[in-house]
Amino acid sequence: MAIKTVLLGLGSNVCQDKLNQGILLLGSLGSCVVSDVISGQDYTACSRRTYDNVCLLLSLTHENELVDLLDIFKKIEIQCGRDSRKKTAQYDYEVAMDIDVLAWQIGDDWHADGRRLPLKPHEKIAAKQVAKQLLDWGVIY
Ligand SMILES: Nc1ncnc2c1ncn2[C@@H]1O[C@H](COP(=O)(O)OP(=O)(O)OP(=O)(O)O)[C@@H](O)[C@H]1O
Ligand SMILES: Nc1nc2c(c(=O)[nH]1)N=C(CO)CN2
């Protein structure tokens, strides 16, 4: 089923430039609303890195299937410098760009990925800024 709007969680533990690059590339797919940047330590405590996170509500110019969107987002992660070989202790778990699809809209209905719920505290703060309605409706929590 074709998706017209997505709520995304973006994160980088390299630098804010990577985050901005990701936002620009995603913005070229449609029109978007971006939350404030929330910076914090790695909540898994695996790395000593600081993460910069945002939520982005993206209305797509062209509707797409979820599998195709996941593929597009994976390519953008790589364009931003993500290298899966660097998500190891040797590189202190470097992730240049991580794009998570938190919720998506098909027709008038919103859907969320149960595996990503409840939202992490930083995701909730950012999602509230761009998608308060989805939290109020209980689509995401
Ligand atoms: N809702 C979703 N959001 C993002 N990726 C998803 C989603 N559902 C399935 N996937 C797939 O899951 C994989 C996530 O890979 P990735 O390397 O980003 O995982 P991770 O960084 O280890 O996990 P996470 O981002 O949850 O911390 C990708 O292949 C992507 O296509
Ligand atoms: N603060 C913060 N910590 C994390 C994050 C993240 O996005 N923000 N993502 C992780 C793996 O995806 C692991 N830890």
Side-chain angles (χ1 to χ4, degrees):
M1 293 285 276
I3 294 172
K4 55 183 186 185
T5 311
V6 281
L7 175 67
L8 303 176
L10 270 63
S12 174
N13 65 18
V14 172
C15 63
Q16 280 209 16
D17 275 358
K18 298 288 180 194
L19 199 62
N20 291 334
Q21 192 184 351
I23 293 168
L24 277 177
L25 288 167
L26 289 164
S28 70
L29 302 175
S31 59
C32 65
V33 185
V34 188
S35 73
D36 294 337
V37 177
I38 296 176
S39 299
Q41 294 309 302
D42 181 349
Y43 58 71
T44 65
C46 280
S47 73
R48 296 162 60 85
R49 291 176 179 274
T50 298
Y51 274 78
D52 294 315
N53 290 108
V54 289
C55 274
L56 200 142
L57 189 65
L58 173 64
S59 301
L60 296 157
T61 309
H62 304 289
E63 294 191 0
N64 255 301
E65 301 293 322
L66 184 58
V67 283
D68 297 325
L69 285 176
L70 290 172
D71 198 42
I72 291 167
F73 298 154
K74 175 74 43 196
K75 290 196 171 96
I76 291 179
E77 288 177 349
I78 293 166
Q79 247 180 298
C80 292
R82 179 147 177 181
D83 179 346
S84 56
R85 291 166 304 181
K86 294 189 173 175
K87 204 180 173 183
T88 61
Q90 190 191 350
Y91 292 93
D92 197 22
Y93 300 96
E94 179 182 313
V95 177
M97 172 54 57
D98 182 36
I99 303 172
D100 293 330
V101 181
L102 303 177
W104 58 93
Q105 188 184 26
I106 298 172
D108 290 333
D109 297 329
W110 277 92
H111 307 264
D113 186 335
R115 291 168 303 177
R116 289 170 196 276
L117 297 174
L119 297 182
K120 311 273 181 336
H122 69 270
E123 289 172 334
K124 204 173 256 190
I125 294 166
K128 258 187 192 142
Q129 294 178 4
V130 298
K132 185 176 177 303
Q133 198 62 54
L134 293 181
L135 286 143
D136 290 348
W137 286 337
V139 174
I140 52 177
Y141 52 87

